Amino acid sequence: MLLIEDDPRVRRSLHLALQDEGYEVGEAASGAAGLHQLRAQAPDVVLLDLMLPDTDGFAVCREVRRWTDVPVIIVSARTDSHDVVAGLEAGADDYVTKPLVAKELSARIRALMRRAHQPQATDPRTLDLGDISVGVDSGVVTVGGVEVDLTRTEFRLLVELCRNEGQVVSREDLLERVWGYGYLGDGRIVDVHVHRLRVKVEADPANPHHVVTARGLGYRAVP
Amino acid sequence: MLLIEDDPRVRRSLHLALQDEGYEVGEAASGAAGLHQLRAQAPDVVLLDLMLPDTDGFAVCREVRRWTDVPVIIVSARTDSHDVVAGLEAGADDYVTKPLVAKELSARIRALMRRAHQPQATDPRTLDLGDISVGVDSGVVTVGGVEVDLTRTEFRLLVELCRNEGQVVSREDLLERVWGYGYLGDGRIVDVHVHRLRVKVEADPANPHHVVTARGLGYRAVP
DNA sequence: CAGTCCTGTGACGAACCCGTGACATCCGGG
DNA sequence: CCCGGATGTCACGGGTTCGTCACAGGACTG
C-alpha cells in the first residue's frame, strides 16, 4: 500500500490506522515522489491525496493509470461532486472524503481489493496493429519487423490509440491522456503529432491505413 | 443495470437519469423481486437500496453475492459509517448516500465497470438496424458488411434514430440531441441531413426502408 | 557551451461539411 | 380535382476542420 499525502500529521495517523489493519504502508509526500515509489515498490493499493505540493492529484492519478491498473483510492478534503467525478474520470477506483473514518476506509479498501484481485487478463505487453507492433514496456515499435524510432509523445500517442483499437479517440481524450490533465491549448497539437507519427509508421503517410482520422470526432487506430 | 428501490419517485428519477447516460435499466421494488430479476436478466450492474419493504438490503446483497460477482452499488439514505462498512462487508462494491448526484453516481458506475469488466476488453457497443450496423464507439457504419463514410452530423443522426429503434423521433428531439440545445432554425435542416443519410445507407433512397418518415411527426428507424 | 533533437505554435491552403434558399414533389382533405 | 402544407432534392456560399510546413524555444547530451 502506497500513501501519497503531503500533510505529515494526516500521513502519520493514516499510516498507523492502516498498519493496525495489517497493511504494509509506504509513504510519499509529493506526486513526483509517489510516482517514483510506485515503480519502485509496486504496491497493491494506492491512497492518493488531491492537494499535493507539486502536482495536482488528478494528474498524478492519470499518470499512474498510464502505467498500471493498481487500485487507486483518492482521499480528499474536497467534497464537491465535481471533484469526485473528476477523480473517478482520472482513473481512480474510489473517492473518499476527509474527515476519514478508518473502519470505512478499510472496508472500502477491502471491497476494492476483492474486486481487483479477481482473475483478470493482464494488460498486454505488446499491442499489435496489423504490421505495427508496439512494445508498451520496452518502448520499442516495429513496422513490418523493422524498428522505428519514435519520440516520447509519438509513442504515447500510438499507445493510446492502440489501447482503444478500432474506437474513435477524441482530441480531448488524447490531450488528456497523452499530454496530461490541465493542458491548455487547442487540439492542433494533436494533428501535428499524428502527422509526425504517420510519417514514421505509415507506408503512405498521405493515405494512412492505421492511424485514420474520423473527421469531426478524432482519430482511430485500425489493424 | 438493475435498480432495486422501493420508493417509486426515487426509482423513476434514477431510472431517467441512468437512461440518459445510456444504460438499459430494469426495475424491482423489493428484495425478492430484485433477486428474481437478477437471474432473469443478468444485469451488468446492480443498484441496491437498503430500505426495502420485505428484506434488509444487506441480506439481499449477501444473497446476490452467493450467485454472482456482478458489481453492486448500495444506494442509501443512511450515512452512518457503520452502515457503509456493513454494506461493503456484505459484498457491495460501493456505497453512495442520498441525496444523489446523478453525475457522481454515473462516474462511480463507470469506475466500477472499468474495474469489473477488465477481463473482457470493452465490448464495442453496436446498434443494428437490419443490415445496417452502427459502431457507436468506433464511429464505423456498415451496410450489408460494406463500410460507408458518414459525416459527423449524419452519424449522430443515425445513432439517435437507432437508439429509439421503432419509435418516432420528432424534429425537435433530433435538433436537441444531434445539434444541441439552443439551436436556432427551422427543422428543415433535419430533412436535408436525413436525405443525405438515406443516400448513403439506403439501397433505394427514394423508397427508404430503414429511415422512414412519419409524416407530421418526425422520423423513425425500422429494421 | 555548442549542437542536436523534440516540442509547441502559428500560418496557410485544401478539402470538407453545414446550413440556407429555392424549387420540385408528395400527401391528405375539402 | 385542386389546394395547401409537409417533405424531398439540389446547388451554392461560408465556415470549419485537417494536413502540412516553418520556426523558435527548451531539454538534453557530450
Side-chain angles (χ1 to χ4, degrees), chain A residues 65 69-72 79-81 84-96 101 103-112 114-116 118-121 163 166-169 214-217 220, chain B residues 65 69-72 79-81 84-85 87-96 101 103-112 114-116 118-119 122-124 137-140 147 150-152 155-156:
Chain A
R65 273 289 167 272
D69 283 323
V70 64
V72 173
T79 61
D80 190 277
S81 165
V84 179
V85 173
L88 296 173
E89 291 298 335
D93 289 279
D94 203 345
Y95 186 112
V96 299
V101 180
K103 294 267 183 211
E104 175 177 340
L105 178 59
S106 174
R108 283 187 179 273
I109 292 171
R110 273 199 303 281
L112 183 50
R114 195 168 57 210
R115 173 66 63 188
Q118 276 172 2
Q120 50 183 304
R163 281 222 175 105
Q167 300 186 5
V168 171
V169 188
R215 190 169 256 269
L217 301 173
R220 184 162 56 96
Chain B
R65 273 290 167 269
D69 283 326
V70 65
V72 173
T79 60
D80 191 277
S81 168
V84 179
V85 173
L88 296 173
E89 291 300 333
D93 289 280
D94 203 344
Y95 187 111
V96 300
V101 179
K103 294 266 182 212
E104 175 178 339
L105 178 58
S106 172
R108 283 186 179 274
I109 291 172
R110 274 199 303 280
L112 184 51
R114 195 167 56 208
R115 175 64 65 188
Q118 246 163 19
T122 54
D123 55 337
D137 296 314
S138 65
V140 174
E147 186 172 334
L150 297 187
T151 70
R152 182 177 44 186
F155 178 73
R156 287 183 184 163

Side-chain angles (χ1 to χ4, degrees), chain A residues 24-38:
Chain A
E24 274 187 35
V25 185
E27 294 186 349
S30 70
L35 289 170
H36 183 260
Q37 286 243 34
L38 180 72

Side-chain angles (χ1 to χ4, degrees), chain A residues 162-176:
Chain A
C162 286
R163 281 222 175 105
N164 302 69
E165 177 184 315
Q167 300 186 5
V168 171
V169 188
S170 70
R171 280 187 175 62
E172 294 73 41
D173 285 346
L174 288 172
L175 279 176
E176 200 173 297

Side-chain angles (χ1 to χ4, degrees), chain B residues 11 86 99 145 218:
Chain B
R11 203 166 61 225

Side-chain angles (χ1 to χ4, degrees), chain A residues 11 27 71 83 105 107 122 133 147 152 160 165 171 190 193 203 209 220 222:
Chain A
R11 202 165 63 224
E27 294 186 349
D83 291 318
L105 178 59
T122 47
S133 158
E147 185 172 337
R152 189 170 53 234
E160 205 48 57
E165 177 184 315
R171 280 187 175 62
V190 179
H193 278 87
H209 285 91
R220 184 162 56 96
V222 300

Side-chain angles (χ1 to χ4, degrees), chain B residues 82 86 123 133 136 143 147 152 179 190:
Chain B
H82 288 101
D123 55 337
S133 157
V136 180
V143 179
E147 186 172 334
R152 182 177 44 186
W179 278 262
V190 180

